[in-house]
Amino acid sequence: MELKYFRLIKTIVEEGNLANSSERLFLTQSALSHQLRELEERLGFKVFNRTRNKWELTQEGIELYKLANKLFSSIDEVFTNIRDIKGSSKSSIKLSAECQSFFHSIPSFIQKMGILYPEINIDVALGATHQSISQLLSNEIDIAIVTAIPDSDKLFNTPVFKDEIFAVMHKENPLNDLDFLDVSHFGEIHLLINSFPLEGVAVYEQFLKPNRIHPTKISAIPFTEITLSMINANMGIMCAPKWQLKSFHLSEDVVFKRIGKNGLKRTHYLVVKEEVRNRKYIHDFISNFKEEFLNL
């Protein structure tokens, strides 16, 4: 039974007669009369008992009218949901990362997202990255990338991937003779980091601080190219995951040395506020981010 017949039955009941229904459905009375006659012939029973001024549903017609209401109510609900889904997809996302390593790879990811989801505008907050969680709670950013699960029932976290941090040094550095760097070796090096404070530096927070070790000298250099130039001159050591340096041309004199006997490994998490975790644009961002960084 075609939808037009259900629409016809529903309209006649609501309008009271064929004349008013004709105006509402933008069809002539003759055309509507023909539709109704065709329907009743197909069904083998009358839908309406009608007189000159009165149209009443038969018992069979009442059942069809109930079904018509259910059908159109379901259709309206579906399209309302679709509008909500489309509406929730249109938004902007402000992103920050606790580890500045991510800022080397995020631009290419944002570019891909711009092609796949042009309705989502992604902005990167380059400010106080060590305060990502507090910024998230105060609504200054929408998504934080961190390496420790925050202790708050207002936040939702999901693991993205794991990586390993290596000590990056010149091959002539005396520490290159070792199989791995123990925590004690860091007490005598010149450590090159992206920025202060040290609480935002993974090797310090996870390896040196718990063992109360502080390097002889620490220099904050925001540009990786300059840091690598200093390493090429054997003027210091940086600590970074290998994937962070994929886009840079590394000298053959640069070597990677494991930190600790079992390596310095970490898990990265995407964190959002619990109240927005199920919004479509957040879900789309998280699923694509996981896929992008899966094989780093």
Side-chain angles (χ1 to χ4, degrees):
M1 185 169 166
E2 296 178 48
L3 199 61
K4 68 177 181 180
Y5 295 124
F6 287 107
R7 185 178 289 108
L8 175 62
I9 294 169
K10 191 172 186 299
T11 305
I12 292 175
V13 172
E14 293 172 355
E15 295 297 331
N17 56 56
L18 208 61
N20 292 340
S21 300
S22 173
E23 294 180 9
R24 180 168 160 181
L25 296 174
F26 302 103
L27 291 171
T28 65
Q29 291 187 49
S30 175
L32 294 183
S33 180
H34 176 74
Q35 277 190 18
L36 185 57
R37 185 168 58 252
E38 183 181 58
L39 172 62
E40 291 177 332
E41 288 175 356
R42 288 186 180 183
L43 295 174
F45 57 80
K46 293 182 70 64
V47 178
F48 288 96
N49 289 318
R50 46 199 179 275
T51 61
R52 181 181 295 273
N53 296 316
K54 194 172 184 180
W55 290 65
E56 291 185 351
L57 287 166
T58 62
Q59 287 186 324
E60 297 90 342
I62 290 172
E63 296 303 315
L64 288 176
Y65 177 62
K66 290 179 182 177
L67 179 56
N69 282 325
K70 289 180 181 178
L71 283 172
F72 286 106
S73 177
S74 296
I75 291 171
D76 288 342
E77 182 179 352
V78 167
F79 279 100
T80 297
N81 290 339
I82 290 173
R83 283 193 295 271
D84 289 343
I85 290 171
K86 289 178 69 64
S88 67
S89 297
K90 296 179 179 179
S91 190
S92 61
I93 294 176
K94 200 158 196 175
L95 171 72
S96 186
E98 173 189 81
C99 174
Q100 293 199 6
S101 305
F102 271 103
F103 293 127
H104 295 279
S105 299
I106 283 178
S108 61
F109 169 70
I110 292 177
Q111 186 178 38
K112 291 179 183 177
M113 285 291 289
I115 296 172
L116 295 172
Y117 301 91
E119 67 276 12
I120 301 177
N121 179 48
I122 301 174
D123 188 21
V124 179
L126 298 174
T129 55
H130 60 287
Q131 297 176 0
S132 295
I133 296 302
S134 61
Q135 289 177 323
L136 190 60
L137 289 168
S138 62
N139 296 317
E140 295 175 61
I141 60 173
D142 303 293
I143 298 179
I145 307 169
V146 300
T147 55
I149 298 176
D151 184 19
S152 173
D153 57 6
K154 294 182 179 180
L155 300 176
F156 166 78
N157 70 84
T158 181
V160 181
F161 72 97
K162 295 181 179 180
D163 65 2
E164 180 176 351
I165 299 174
F166 292 86
V168 187
M169 66 183 72
H170 193 278
K171 68 180 182 181
E172 293 181 1
N173 190 301
L175 295 178
N176 187 35
D177 294 331
L178 302 172
D179 292 332
F180 62 89
L181 269 62
D182 198 353
V183 65
S184 60
H185 298 126
F186 282 83
E188 301 176 358
I189 69 167
H190 178 195
L191 182 63
L192 307 174
I193 64 174
N194 286 117
S195 64
F196 287 106
L198 284 174
E199 284 70 24
V201 180
V203 69
Y204 176 78
E205 192 69 14
Q206 299 179 34
F207 195 62
L208 304 183
K209 184 179 177 181
N211 292 285
R212 299 181 179 179
I213 295 294
H214 198 282
T216 302
K217 182 179 181 182
I218 301 175
S219 298
I221 304 171
F223 303 105
T224 303
E225 295 89 343
I226 297 176
T227 301
L228 290 173
S229 295
M230 292 181 68
I231 292 172
N232 282 331
N234 200 12
M235 295 174 61
I237 294 175
M238 74 179 293
C239 295
K242 290 182 179 179
W243 63 263
Q244 177 187 337
L245 304 178
K246 280 183 178 180
S247 59
F248 297 93
H249 177 69
L250 299 182
S251 165
E252 294 181 358
D253 293 333
V254 173
V255 295
F256 293 85
K257 189 64 59 174
R258 176 159 277 189
I259 300 173
K261 185 176 182 179
N262 298 316
L264 181 57
K265 299 171 184 178
R266 59 185 179 174
T267 300
H268 297 269
Y269 302 87
L270 282 182
V271 184
V272 300
K273 296 190 81 170
E274 183 69 39
E275 62 194 52
V276 303
R277 61 177 288 194
N278 292 320
R279 292 182 184 175
K280 186 175 185 297
Y281 67 96
I282 294 291
H283 177 271
D284 289 343
F285 179 95
I286 291 175
S287 61
N288 280 275
F289 192 93
K290 285 185 174 182
E291 183 179 336
E292 176 75 10
F293 290 92
L294 181 63
N295 298 313
L296 284 180

